Amino acid sequence: MANEELRLVAAAQRGDVESFNALVRLYEGRVYNLCYRLLGDADSAADAAQDAFLSAYRHLRAFRGGSFRAWVLRIATNVCYDALRARQRRPVVSLDATGETSAEEPSSFQIADTAETPDEFALRRELARAIEAGLAQLPVDQRLVVVLCDLQGLTYEEIAEVLGANLGTIKSRLSRGRARLRDLLRQEELLPLRFRHEGEA
Amino acid sequence: MTTQPQLNEHDLELLSAYLDGQLSADERRTIERRLGDEAELRQAYEELRATVQALRDLEPLRPPRSFTLDPSQVAAQRPPAARLGWGRLLQVAGVFAGVLIAAIGVLNVLGSMGAGAPSMAVQPTAAPASEPMLAAVPTEPPTVATEARESAQYQTETATPQRGDTAAAPSTHDNGAEPGAPQALATVVVSPEAIARPEVAPQPTIAPPAISSPGTVDLAQPTPFAEPATPASSPDVTLLIIVVVVAALAGGGVLLWRRVRG
C-alpha cells in the first residue's frame, strides 16, 4: 500500500497525470470531507478540493516523502483557510448552505444494520445533527483538529504534520474542541441519561 | 439542567489524550486510579467518550464529483519536475549571455571614447588574461571549460558581422526548449540586438568571445564562429568589466529567484 503510493507519487512527479489521478481517487473523499467541514457547504468544499488537487499537482516536486496523505490534507487546509479569509473580507452569508446541510443528512444517514429501536435511531440521528451543528460552531483551528482526529482518524503525529504545529498544541486544541462539543450536547440533553444521573447521584 | 462538574483544562486534556491512547504508562496508571476514585472525573470521561463516539459515527459525505485532473488541461500548466534543472539553467545562462553582451557593448563604447579606436587594436597576449575571468561567471564548470577551449581556438579570427547571429542564438534555442519562458526570451532578444550589435559592430576589437560563447555553447549551438580575441588591456577597463560582471550576476540571480518562486 505504502509502496504503491510511493510509486504513484514518483510517477506523478515525473509528469504522469494518470498516476496522480490514482492518488486523487485515493484521497478525494478525505479532502472533500475536510473542506466540507471547514467551509460548511458542498459547493465551496468541491471548489476547494479541486483547487487543492491542482495545487498539489503543481507543487508535487516539493513533496519530499513522509505521509502523502498528510501533505495533501495540508494543502487542502491551506486552500480552505484562504477561502475563509476571502469570505471574511467579503462576507456573503449563504442561507442555502445551512439548508443544504440538513438536506444532505438523510441520504447519508441510514438505520444501522443491527437491531436498533426507533428510539435509538431517533437519538442517534438527533445526536448526529447536534454534533454537526456543534462542529460548525467551533473555532476553525479546534474544528480542524477534531475533524482530522475524530472524523478522519489521523494520528496526533500526522495531524501535527498537516498543521505544522507541535503535539502540545494539537492535544490542547483537540481537548478544548471536544469539551465544547460535549457542552453543546449536554445543553441539548443528548448525552446518555445514565451519565447525567450518575452525576446527580 | 443538572449541575455539571467543570474540570480544569489539564484534566480535560488528560482525559482527551487518554481516550486516544496517547498517555505515557505513568500518566495512564494515574488517570485510571483517579477514574476509580473520582466520580466527577469519571462522569466527565464518559461524556467525553460519548461525544467522541458521536463524532466518529458521523457518516462521511460523498464528494459530488471526482476531482481527477484532465491530462490535456494540466499538461501545459506544469512542466514535470525533471525539467527543473536544465530548462531553468539554460534560460538563466541565456539571460546571462544577453546581459553580458549588452554590458560589454556599452563598455566598448565607453572604452573607445576614452582611448580612441586605434588604441583598441588587437592584442593577443591580453586575451587569455581576460578570458578566464569572464569564463568563471556561469555556474556550469564543464560547459565553461569547453567554451574556454573553443574561444581560445577561434580567437585568432575576427568575425564581427556574425556577432548578431551568435547573440540571437540563445533566444531561438530557448524558445524551442522552454516554451514557458517568455521573459527570458524578451531579455535575450532585446539586449544583443538593440545594444550589442550596433555599438559593437564598428569596433571589431572588443571582447565578446568569452562572453557570448557561454550562451552559445550552453545552448548546444555548435556554430564555431570565431570571435575576435580581446584585449581589455587598460586596468580601469578591467575594473569596469568586473563591475559589469557582478551586476550581471546580480541581475541573473534575481531573475532565477523570481522564477523559482513563481
Side-chain angles (χ1 to χ4, degrees), chain A residues 13-14 20-21 24 28 32-33 36 46 50 54 57-58 104 108 150 156 174-175 178 182 186 195 198-200, chain B residues 2 4 6 12-13 16 20 22 42-43 46-47 51-52 55-56 59 61 64 66-69 74 77-78 80-81:
Chain A
Q13 281 177 327
R14 288 194 298 270
F20 183 78
N21 280 340
V24 172
E28 59 189 356
Y32 173 76
N33 273 270
Y36 183 88
Q50 188 69 77
L54 257 177
Y57 181 74
R58 285 192 196 122
E104 270 179 29
S108 66
D150 291 333
Y156 285 17
L174 185 59
S175 165
R178 284 168 168 175
R182 180 217 39 196
R186 229 189 228 165
F195 300 141
E198 203 178 311
E200 285 164 348
Chain B
T2 56
Q4 296 295 336
Q6 284 300 331
L12 276 174
E13 217 174 296
S16 173
D20 297 324
Q22 291 281 335
R42 191 165 60 247
Q43 185 197 349
E46 294 295 350
E47 287 181 347
T51 305
V52 169
L55 285 165
R56 289 180 184 158
E59 300 278 336
L61 300 154
S66 177
F67 302 117
T68 50
L69 306 182
V74 141
Q77 290 194 345
R78 187 197 71 110

CSV table of all heavy atoms in Angstrom, one decimal, chain A residues 13-14 20-21 24 28 32-33 36 46 50 54 57-58 104 108 150 156 174-175 178 182 186 195 198-200, chain B residues 2 4 6 12-13 16 20 22 42-43 46-47 51-52 55-56 59 61 64 66-69 74 77-78 80-81:
chain,number,residue,atom,x,y,z
A,13,GLN,N,5.4,12.7,-10.1
A,13,GLN,CA,6.4,13.7,-10.1
A,13,GLN,C,7.2,13.8,-11.4
A,13,GLN,O,7.7,14.8,-11.8
A,13,GLN,CB,7.4,13.4,-9.0
A,13,GLN,CG,6.9,13.9,-7.6
A,13,GLN,CD,7.9,13.6,-6.5
A,13,GLN,OE1,8.6,12.6,-6.5
A,13,GLN,NE2,7.9,14.4,-5.4
A,14,ARG,N,7.2,12.7,-12.1
A,14,ARG,CA,7.8,12.7,-13.5
A,14,ARG,C,6.8,13.2,-14.5
A,14,ARG,O,7.1,13.3,-15.7
A,14,ARG,CB,8.2,11.3,-13.9
A,14,ARG,CG,9.5,10.8,-13.1
A,14,ARG,CD,10.1,9.6,-13.7
A,14,ARG,NE,9.1,8.4,-13.7
A,14,ARG,CZ,9.0,7.6,-12.7
A,14,ARG,NH1,9.8,7.7,-11.7
A,14,ARG,NH2,8.2,6.6,-12.8
A,20,PHE,N,-1.1,10.5,-10.9
A,20,PHE,CA,-1.5,11.5,-10.0
A,20,PHE,C,-3.0,11.3,-9.7
A,20,PHE,O,-3.5,11.4,-8.6
A,20,PHE,CB,-1.2,12.9,-10.5
A,20,PHE,CG,-1.7,14.0,-9.5
A,20,PHE,CD1,-0.9,14.2,-8.4
A,20,PHE,CD2,-2.9,14.6,-9.6
A,20,PHE,CE1,-1.3,15.2,-7.4
A,20,PHE,CE2,-3.2,15.6,-8.7
A,20,PHE,CZ,-2.5,15.8,-7.6
A,21,ASN,N,-3.8,11.0,-10.8
A,21,ASN,CA,-5.2,10.8,-10.7
A,21,ASN,C,-5.5,9.6,-9.8
A,21,ASN,O,-6.6,9.6,-9.1
A,21,ASN,CB,-5.9,10.7,-12.0
A,21,ASN,CG,-6.1,12.1,-12.6
A,21,ASN,OD1,-6.1,13.1,-11.9
A,21,ASN,ND2,-6.2,12.2,-14.0
A,24,VAL,N,-5.4,11.0,-6.5
A,24,VAL,CA,-6.6,11.8,-6.3
A,24,VAL,C,-7.8,10.9,-5.9
A,24,VAL,O,-8.5,11.2,-4.9
A,24,VAL,CB,-7.0,12.6,-7.5
A,24,VAL,CG1,-8.4,13.3,-7.4
A,24,VAL,CG2,-5.9,13.6,-7.9
A,28,GLU,N,-9.6,11.8,-2.5
A,28,GLU,CA,-10.6,12.8,-2.7
A,28,GLU,C,-11.7,12.8,-1.7
A,28,GLU,O,-12.2,13.9,-1.3
A,28,GLU,CB,-11.2,12.8,-4.2
A,28,GLU,CG,-11.9,11.5,-4.5
A,28,GLU,CD,-12.2,11.5,-6.0
A,28,GLU,OE1,-11.9,12.5,-6.7
A,28,GLU,OE2,-12.7,10.4,-6.5
A,32,TYR,N,-12.4,16.1,0.3
A,32,TYR,CA,-13.7,16.8,0.2
A,32,TYR,C,-14.3,17.0,1.6
A,32,TYR,O,-14.9,18.0,1.9
A,32,TYR,CB,-14.6,16.0,-0.7
A,32,TYR,CG,-16.0,16.6,-0.7
A,32,TYR,CD1,-16.3,17.7,-1.4
A,32,TYR,CD2,-17.0,15.9,0.0
A,32,TYR,CE1,-17.6,18.3,-1.4
A,32,TYR,CE2,-18.3,16.4,0.0
A,32,TYR,CZ,-18.6,17.6,-0.7
A,32,TYR,OH,-19.8,18.1,-0.7
A,33,ASN,N,-14.3,15.9,2.4
A,33,ASN,CA,-14.9,15.9,3.7
A,33,ASN,C,-14.3,17.0,4.6
A,33,ASN,O,-14.9,17.7,5.3
A,33,ASN,CB,-14.9,14.6,4.4
A,33,ASN,CG,-16.1,13.7,4.0
A,33,ASN,OD1,-17.1,13.8,4.6
A,33,ASN,ND2,-16.0,13.0,2.9
A,36,TYR,N,-15.4,20.3,3.4
A,36,TYR,CA,-16.8,20.5,3.7
A,36,TYR,C,-16.9,20.9,5.2
A,36,TYR,O,-17.7,21.9,5.5
A,36,TYR,CB,-17.6,19.2,3.5
A,36,TYR,CG,-19.1,19.4,3.8
A,36,TYR,CD1,-19.9,19.8,2.8
A,36,TYR,CD2,-19.6,19.1,5.1
A,36,TYR,CE1,-21.3,20.0,3.1
A,36,TYR,CE2,-20.9,19.3,5.3
A,36,TYR,CZ,-21.7,19.8,4.4
A,36,TYR,OH,-23.1,20.0,4.6
A,46,ALA,N,-16.4,21.5,-2.8
A,46,ALA,CA,-15.9,20.9,-4.0
A,46,ALA,C,-14.9,21.8,-4.7
A,46,ALA,O,-13.9,21.3,-5.2
A,46,ALA,CB,-17.1,20.7,-4.9
A,50,GLN,N,-11.0,20.7,-5.4
A,50,GLN,CA,-10.4,20.8,-6.8
A,50,GLN,C,-9.2,21.6,-6.8
A,50,GLN,O,-8.1,21.2,-7.3
A,50,GLN,CB,-11.5,21.3,-7.8
A,50,GLN,CG,-11.0,21.2,-9.2
A,50,GLN,CD,-11.0,19.7,-9.7
A,50,GLN,OE1,-12.0,19.2,-10.0
A,50,GLN,NE2,-9.8,19.2,-9.7
A,54,LEU,N,-5.3,20.5,-7.7
A,54,LEU,CA,-4.5,21.2,-8.7
A,54,LEU,C,-3.2,21.7,-8.1
A,54,LEU,O,-2.1,21.6,-8.7
A,54,LEU,CB,-5.3,22.4,-9.3
A,54,LEU,CG,-6.0,22.2,-10.6
A,54,LEU,CD1,-6.8,23.4,-11.0
A,54,LEU,CD2,-4.9,21.9,-11.7
A,57,TYR,N,-0.7,19.0,-7.5
A,57,TYR,CA,-0.1,18.6,-8.7
A,57,TYR,C,1.0,19.6,-9.1
A,57,TYR,O,2.1,19.2,-9.5
A,57,TYR,CB,-1.1,18.5,-9.9
A,57,TYR,CG,-0.5,18.0,-11.2
A,57,TYR,CD1,-0.1,16.6,-11.3
A,57,TYR,CD2,-0.2,18.8,-12.2
A,57,TYR,CE1,0.5,16.2,-12.5
A,57,TYR,CE2,0.4,18.4,-13.4
A,57,TYR,CZ,0.7,17.1,-13.5
A,57,TYR,OH,1.3,16.6,-14.7
A,58,ARG,N,0.7,20.8,-9.0
A,58,ARG,CA,1.7,21.8,-9.4
A,58,ARG,C,2.9,21.8,-8.5
A,58,ARG,O,4.0,22.1,-8.9
A,58,ARG,CB,1.1,23.2,-9.4
A,58,ARG,CG,0.2,23.5,-10.6
A,58,ARG,CD,-0.2,24.9,-10.6
A,58,ARG,NE,-1.3,25.2,-11.5
A,58,ARG,CZ,-2.4,25.7,-11.1
A,58,ARG,NH1,-2.6,26.2,-9.8
A,58,ARG,NH2,-3.4,25.9,-11.9
A,104,GLU,N,-28.8,17.2,3.2
A,104,GLU,CA,-27.9,16.1,2.8
A,104,GLU,C,-28.0,15.0,3.8
A,104,GLU,O,-27.6,13.8,3.5
A,104,GLU,CB,-26.5,16.6,2.7
A,104,GLU,CG,-26.2,17.1,1.3
A,104,GLU,CD,-24.8,17.6,1.2
A,104,GLU,OE1,-23.9,17.1,2.0
A,104,GLU,OE2,-24.5,18.4,0.4
A,108,SER,N,-27.3,10.4,3.9
A,108,SER,CA,-26.1,9.7,4.4
A,108,SER,C,-26.4,9.1,5.7
A,108,SER,O,-25.4,8.7,6.5
A,108,SER,CB,-25.0,10.8,4.5
A,108,SER,OG,-25.3,11.7,5.5
A,150,ASP,N,-11.0,12.9,14.9
A,150,ASP,CA,-12.2,12.0,15.2
A,150,ASP,C,-13.0,11.6,14.0
A,150,ASP,O,-13.6,10.6,14.0
A,150,ASP,CB,-13.1,12.7,16.2
A,150,ASP,CG,-12.5,12.8,17.6
A,150,ASP,OD1,-11.6,11.9,17.9
A,150,ASP,OD2,-12.8,13.8,18.3
A,156,TYR,N,-2.0,11.7,16.1
A,156,TYR,CA,-1.5,13.0,16.5
A,156,TYR,C,-0.3,13.5,15.7
A,156,TYR,O,-0.2,14.7,15.3
A,156,TYR,CB,-1.1,13.0,18.0
A,156,TYR,CG,-2.3,13.0,19.0
A,156,TYR,CD1,-3.6,12.6,18.6
A,156,TYR,CD2,-2.1,13.3,20.3
A,156,TYR,CE1,-4.6,12.6,19.5
A,156,TYR,CE2,-3.1,13.3,21.3
A,156,TYR,CZ,-4.4,12.9,20.9
A,156,TYR,OH,-5.4,12.9,21.8
A,174,LEU,N,-7.5,19.9,20.5
A,174,LEU,CA,-8.4,18.7,20.5
A,174,LEU,C,-9.3,18.7,21.7
A,174,LEU,O,-10.5,18.5,21.7
A,174,LEU,CB,-7.6,17.5,20.3
A,174,LEU,CG,-8.4,16.2,20.1
A,174,LEU,CD1,-9.3,16.3,18.9
A,174,LEU,CD2,-7.4,15.0,19.9
A,175,SER,N,-8.6,18.8,22.8
A,175,SER,CA,-9.3,18.7,24.1
A,175,SER,C,-10.3,19.8,24.3
A,175,SER,O,-11.5,19.6,24.7
A,175,SER,CB,-8.3,18.8,25.3
A,175,SER,OG,-8.9,19.1,26.5
A,178,ARG,N,-13.3,19.2,21.8
A,178,ARG,CA,-14.2,18.1,22.3
A,178,ARG,C,-15.0,18.6,23.5
A,178,ARG,O,-16.2,18.3,23.6
A,178,ARG,CB,-13.4,16.9,22.7
A,178,ARG,CG,-12.8,16.1,21.5
A,178,ARG,CD,-11.8,15.1,22.0
A,178,ARG,NE,-11.4,14.1,21.0
A,178,ARG,CZ,-10.5,13.2,21.2
A,178,ARG,NH1,-9.8,13.2,22.3
A,178,ARG,NH2,-10.2,12.3,20.2
A,182,ARG,N,-19.0,18.6,23.9
A,182,ARG,CA,-19.7,17.9,24.9
A,182,ARG,C,-20.6,18.9,25.6
A,182,ARG,O,-21.8,18.5,26.0
A,182,ARG,CB,-18.6,17.4,25.9
A,182,ARG,CG,-19.3,16.7,27.1
A,182,ARG,CD,-18.6,16.9,28.4
A,182,ARG,NE,-18.1,18.3,28.7
A,182,ARG,CZ,-17.2,18.5,29.6
A,182,ARG,NH1,-16.7,17.6,30.4
A,182,ARG,NH2,-16.8,19.8,29.8
A,186,ARG,N,-24.6,18.4,26.0
A,186,ARG,CA,-25.2,18.4,27.3
A,186,ARG,C,-26.3,19.4,27.4
A,186,ARG,O,-27.4,19.1,27.9
A,186,ARG,CB,-24.1,19.0,28.3
A,186,ARG,CG,-23.9,18.2,29.5
A,186,ARG,CD,-23.0,19.1,30.4
A,186,ARG,NE,-21.9,18.3,31.0
A,186,ARG,CZ,-20.8,18.9,31.5
A,186,ARG,NH1,-20.7,20.2,31.5
A,186,ARG,NH2,-19.9,18.2,32.0
A,195,PHE,N,-25.4,8.9,32.5
A,195,PHE,CA,-24.2,9.7,32.9
A,195,PHE,C,-24.7,10.9,33.7
A,195,PHE,O,-24.1,11.2,34.7
A,195,PHE,CB,-23.4,10.2,31.7
A,195,PHE,CG,-22.9,9.0,30.9
A,195,PHE,CD1,-22.8,9.1,29.5
A,195,PHE,CD2,-22.4,7.9,31.5
A,195,PHE,CE1,-22.4,8.1,28.7
A,195,PHE,CE2,-22.0,6.8,30.7
A,195,PHE,CZ,-21.9,6.9,29.4
A,198,GLU,N,-25.9,9.7,37.0
A,198,GLU,CA,-24.7,9.3,37.8
A,198,GLU,C,-24.1,10.6,38.5
A,198,GLU,O,-23.7,10.6,39.6
A,198,GLU,CB,-23.7,8.6,37.0
A,198,GLU,CG,-22.7,7.7,37.7
A,198,GLU,CD,-21.8,7.1,36.8
A,198,GLU,OE1,-22.3,6.5,35.8
A,198,GLU,OE2,-20.6,7.1,37.0
A,199,GLY,N,-24.1,11.6,37.7
A,199,GLY,CA,-23.5,12.9,38.1
A,199,GLY,C,-24.3,13.5,39.3
A,199,GLY,O,-23.8,14.0,40.2
A,200,GLU,N,-25.6,13.3,39.2
A,200,GLU,CA,-26.5,13.9,40.2
A,200,GLU,C,-26.5,13.1,41.5
A,200,GLU,O,-26.7,13.6,42.5
A,200,GLU,CB,-27.9,14.0,39.7
A,200,GLU,CG,-28.1,15.1,38.7
A,200,GLU,CD,-29.4,14.9,37.9
A,200,GLU,OE1,-30.0,13.8,38.0
A,200,GLU,OE2,-29.8,15.8,37.2
B,2,THR,N,-28.8,19.9,34.9
B,2,THR,CA,-28.1,19.4,36.1
B,2,THR,C,-26.9,20.3,36.4
B,2,THR,O,-26.4,20.9,35.5
B,2,THR,CB,-27.7,18.0,35.9
B,2,THR,OG1,-26.9,17.9,34.7
B,2,THR,CG2,-28.9,17.1,35.8
B,4,GLN,N,-23.3,20.5,36.5
B,4,GLN,CA,-22.2,19.7,36.0
B,4,GLN,C,-20.8,20.1,36.5
B,4,GLN,O,-20.6,21.2,36.7
B,4,GLN,CB,-22.2,19.8,34.4
B,4,GLN,CG,-23.5,19.3,33.8
B,4,GLN,CD,-23.7,17.8,34.0
B,4,GLN,OE1,-22.7,17.1,34.2
B,4,GLN,NE2,-24.9,17.4,33.9
B,6,GLN,N,-17.1,21.0,36.4
B,6,GLN,CA,-16.2,21.6,35.4
B,6,GLN,C,-14.8,21.3,35.8
B,6,GLN,O,-14.3,21.8,36.8
B,6,GLN,CB,-16.4,23.1,35.4
B,6,GLN,CG,-17.7,23.6,34.6
B,6,GLN,CD,-17.7,23.2,33.2
B,6,GLN,OE1,-16.7,23.0,32.5
B,6,GLN,NE2,-18.9,23.0,32.7
B,12,LEU,N,-9.0,17.8,31.6
B,12,LEU,CA,-9.7,17.5,30.3
B,12,LEU,C,-8.8,17.0,29.3
B,12,LEU,O,-9.1,16.1,28.5
B,12,LEU,CB,-10.4,18.8,29.8
B,12,LEU,CG,-11.8,19.1,30.5
B,12,LEU,CD1,-12.3,20.4,30.0
B,12,LEU,CD2,-12.8,18.0,30.0
B,13,GLU,N,-7.6,17.7,29.3
B,13,GLU,CA,-6.6,17.3,28.2
B,13,GLU,C,-6.1,15.9,28.5
B,13,GLU,O,-5.9,15.1,27.6
B,13,GLU,CB,-5.5,18.3,28.3
B,13,GLU,CG,-4.9,18.6,26.9
B,13,GLU,CD,-3.9,19.7,27.0
B,13,GLU,OE1,-4.3,20.9,27.4
B,13,GLU,OE2,-2.7,19.5,26.7
B,16,SER,N,-8.8,13.5,27.3
B,16,SER,CA,-8.9,13.5,25.9
B,16,SER,C,-7.7,12.7,25.3
B,16,SER,O,-8.0,11.8,24.4
B,16,SER,CB,-8.8,15.0,25.4
B,16,SER,OG,-8.7,15.0,24.0
B,20,ASP,N,-7.5,8.6,23.4
B,20,ASP,CA,-6.8,8.3,22.2
B,20,ASP,C,-5.6,7.4,22.4
B,20,ASP,O,-4.8,7.2,21.5
B,20,ASP,CB,-6.3,9.6,21.5
B,20,ASP,CG,-7.5,10.5,21.1
B,20,ASP,OD1,-8.5,9.9,20.6
B,20,ASP,OD2,-7.4,11.7,21.1
B,22,GLN,N,-3.0,8.2,24.2
B,22,GLN,CA,-1.8,9.0,24.0
B,22,GLN,C,-1.1,9.3,25.3
B,22,GLN,O,-0.2,10.2,25.3
B,22,GLN,CB,-2.2,10.3,23.2
B,22,GLN,CG,-2.6,10.1,21.8
B,22,GLN,CD,-1.4,9.8,20.9
B,22,GLN,OE1,-0.3,10.3,21.1
B,22,GLN,NE2,-1.6,9.1,19.8
B,42,ARG,N,-14.9,10.6,36.4
B,42,ARG,CA,-15.5,9.5,35.7
B,42,ARG,C,-16.6,10.0,34.8
B,42,ARG,O,-16.7,9.6,33.6
B,42,ARG,CB,-15.9,8.4,36.6
B,42,ARG,CG,-16.2,7.1,35.9
B,42,ARG,CD,-16.4,5.9,36.9
B,42,ARG,NE,-17.4,6.1,37.9
B,42,ARG,CZ,-17.1,6.3,39.2
B,42,ARG,NH1,-15.9,6.3,39.7
B,42,ARG,NH2,-18.1,6.5,40.1
B,43,GLN,N,-17.4,10.8,35.3
B,43,GLN,CA,-18.5,11.3,34.5
B,43,GLN,C,-18.0,12.1,33.3
B,43,GLN,O,-18.5,12.0,32.2
B,43,GLN,CB,-19.5,12.2,35.4
B,43,GLN,CG,-20.7,12.6,34.6
B,43,GLN,CD,-21.4,13.8,35.2
B,43,GLN,OE1,-21.1,14.2,36.4
B,43,GLN,NE2,-22.4,14.4,34.5
B,46,GLU,N,-16.9,9.8,30.7
B,46,GLU,CA,-17.9,9.1,30.0
B,46,GLU,C,-18.6,10.1,29.0
B,46,GLU,O,-18.9,9.7,27.8
B,46,GLU,CB,-19.0,8.6,30.9
B,46,GLU,CG,-18.5,7.5,31.8
B,46,GLU,CD,-18.2,6.2,31.1
B,46,GLU,OE1,-18.5,6.1,29.9
B,46,GLU,OE2,-17.6,5.3,31.7
B,47,GLU,N,-18.8,11.3,29.4
B,47,GLU,CA,-19.4,12.3,28.5
B,47,GLU,C,-18.5,12.6,27.3
B,47,GLU,O,-18.9,12.7,26.1
B,47,GLU,CB,-19.7,13.6,29.2
B,47,GLU,CG,-20.8,13.5,30.2
B,47,GLU,CD,-21.1,14.8,30.9
B,47,GLU,OE1,-20.2,15.7,30.8
B,47,GLU,OE2,-22.2,14.9,31.5
B,51,THR,N,-19.2,11.9,23.4
B,51,THR,CA,-19.0,12.9,22.4
B,51,THR,C,-18.2,12.5,21.2
B,51,THR,O,-18.5,12.6,20.1
B,51,THR,CB,-18.4,14.2,23.0
B,51,THR,OG1,-19.2,14.6,24.1
B,51,THR,CG2,-18.4,15.3,22.0
B,52,VAL,N,-17.0,11.9,21.6
B,52,VAL,CA,-16.1,11.4,20.6
B,52,VAL,C,-16.7,10.3,19.7
B,52,VAL,O,-16.6,10.3,18.5
B,52,VAL,CB,-14.8,10.9,21.2
B,52,VAL,CG1,-13.9,10.2,20.2
B,52,VAL,CG2,-14.0,12.1,21.8
B,55,LEU,N,-18.9,11.8,17.2
B,55,LEU,CA,-18.1,12.3,16.1
B,55,LEU,C,-17.7,11.2,15.1
B,55,LEU,O,-17.8,11.4,13.9
B,55,LEU,CB,-16.9,13.1,16.6
B,55,LEU,CG,-17.1,14.4,17.3
B,55,LEU,CD1,-15.9,14.9,18.1
B,55,LEU,CD2,-17.4,15.5,16.2
B,56,ARG,N,-17.2,10.1,15.7
B,56,ARG,CA,-16.8,9.0,14.9
B,56,ARG,C,-17.9,8.4,14.1
B,56,ARG,O,-17.7,7.8,13.0
B,56,ARG,CB,-16.1,8.0,15.8
B,56,ARG,CG,-14.7,8.5,16.3
B,56,ARG,CD,-14.0,7.5,17.1
B,56,ARG,NE,-12.8,8.1,17.7
B,56,ARG,CZ,-12.2,7.6,18.8
B,56,ARG,NH1,-12.6,6.6,19.4
B,56,ARG,NH2,-11.0,8.2,19.2
B,59,GLU,N,-21.3,10.0,9.4
B,59,GLU,CA,-21.0,9.4,8.1
B,59,GLU,C,-20.2,10.3,7.2
B,59,GLU,O,-20.6,11.5,7.2
B,59,GLU,CB,-22.3,9.1,7.4
B,59,GLU,CG,-23.2,8.1,8.1
B,59,GLU,CD,-22.8,6.6,7.9
B,59,GLU,OE1,-22.2,6.4,6.9
B,59,GLU,OE2,-23.2,5.8,8.8
B,61,LEU,N,-19.2,12.3,4.0
B,61,LEU,CA,-20.1,12.7,2.9
B,61,LEU,C,-19.4,12.2,1.6
B,61,LEU,O,-18.2,12.1,1.5
B,61,LEU,CB,-20.1,14.2,2.8
B,61,LEU,CG,-20.8,14.8,4.1
B,61,LEU,CD1,-20.3,16.3,4.3
B,61,LEU,CD2,-22.3,14.8,4.0
B,64,PRO,N,-19.4,15.3,-4.5
B,64,PRO,CA,-20.4,15.4,-5.5
B,64,PRO,C,-19.8,15.1,-6.9
B,64,PRO,O,-20.6,14.8,-7.8
B,64,PRO,CB,-20.7,16.9,-5.5
B,64,PRO,CG,-19.6,17.6,-4.8
B,64,PRO,CD,-19.0,16.6,-3.9
B,66,SER,N,-15.9,13.7,-9.1
B,66,SER,CA,-14.5,13.3,-8.9
B,66,SER,C,-13.6,14.5,-9.2
B,66,SER,O,-13.9,15.4,-10.0
B,66,SER,CB,-14.1,12.2,-9.9
B,66,SER,OG,-12.7,11.9,-9.7
B,67,PHE,N,-12.4,14.6,-8.5
B,67,PHE,CA,-11.5,15.7,-8.7
B,67,PHE,C,-10.3,15.4,-9.5
B,67,PHE,O,-9.3,16.0,-9.4
B,67,PHE,CB,-11.2,16.3,-7.3
B,67,PHE,CG,-12.3,16.7,-6.5
B,67,PHE,CD1,-12.6,16.0,-5.3
B,67,PHE,CD2,-13.2,17.7,-6.9
B,67,PHE,CE1,-13.8,16.4,-4.5
B,67,PHE,CE2,-14.3,18.0,-6.2
B,67,PHE,CZ,-14.6,17.4,-5.0
B,68,THR,N,-10.4,14.3,-10.2
B,68,THR,CA,-9.2,13.9,-11.0
B,68,THR,C,-9.0,15.0,-12.1
B,68,THR,O,-9.9,15.8,-12.5
B,68,THR,CB,-9.5,12.6,-11.8
B,68,THR,OG1,-10.7,12.7,-12.4
B,68,THR,CG2,-9.5,11.4,-10.8
B,69,LEU,N,-7.7,15.1,-12.5
B,69,LEU,CA,-7.3,16.2,-13.4
B,69,LEU,C,-7.4,15.7,-14.8
B,69,LEU,O,-7.1,14.5,-15.1
B,69,LEU,CB,-5.9,16.7,-13.0
B,69,LEU,CG,-5.6,17.1,-11.6
B,69,LEU,CD1,-4.2,17.6,-11.4
B,69,LEU,CD2,-6.6,18.1,-11.1
B,74,VAL,N,-4.0,19.8,-17.9
B,74,VAL,CA,-2.9,20.0,-17.0
B,74,VAL,C,-1.6,20.0,-17.6
B,74,VAL,O,-0.6,20.6,-17.1
B,74,VAL,CB,-3.1,18.9,-15.9
B,74,VAL,CG1,-1.7,18.4,-15.5
B,74,VAL,CG2,-3.9,19.4,-14.7
B,77,GLN,N,0.3,23.2,-17.8
B,77,GLN,CA,0.4,24.0,-16.6
B,77,GLN,C,1.7,23.9,-15.9
B,77,GLN,O,2.2,24.8,-15.3
B,77,GLN,CB,-0.8,23.7,-15.7
B,77,GLN,CG,-2.1,24.1,-16.2
B,77,GLN,CD,-3.1,24.1,-15.2
B,77,GLN,OE1,-3.0,23.5,-14.1
B,77,GLN,NE2,-4.3,24.7,-15.4
B,78,ARG,N,2.2,22.7,-15.9
B,78,ARG,CA,3.4,22.5,-15.1
B,78,ARG,C,4.3,21.6,-15.7
B,78,ARG,O,4.0,20.4,-16.0
B,78,ARG,CB,3.0,21.9,-13.7
B,78,ARG,CG,4.1,21.8,-12.7
B,78,ARG,CD,3.8,20.9,-11.7
B,78,ARG,NE,3.8,19.5,-12.1
B,78,ARG,CZ,4.7,18.6,-11.8
B,78,ARG,NH1,5.6,19.0,-11.0
B,78,ARG,NH2,4.7,17.4,-12.3
B,80,PRO,N,7.0,18.8,-15.8
B,80,PRO,CA,7.4,17.9,-14.8
B,80,PRO,C,8.7,18.2,-14.0
B,80,PRO,O,9.5,19.0,-14.6
B,80,PRO,CB,7.6,16.6,-15.6
B,80,PRO,CG,7.2,16.9,-16.9
B,80,PRO,CD,6.9,18.3,-17.1
B,81,ALA,N,8.8,17.6,-12.9
B,81,ALA,CA,9.9,18.0,-12.0
B,81,ALA,C,11.3,17.9,-12.7
B,81,ALA,O,12.2,18.6,-12.4
B,81,ALA,CB,9.8,17.2,-10.8
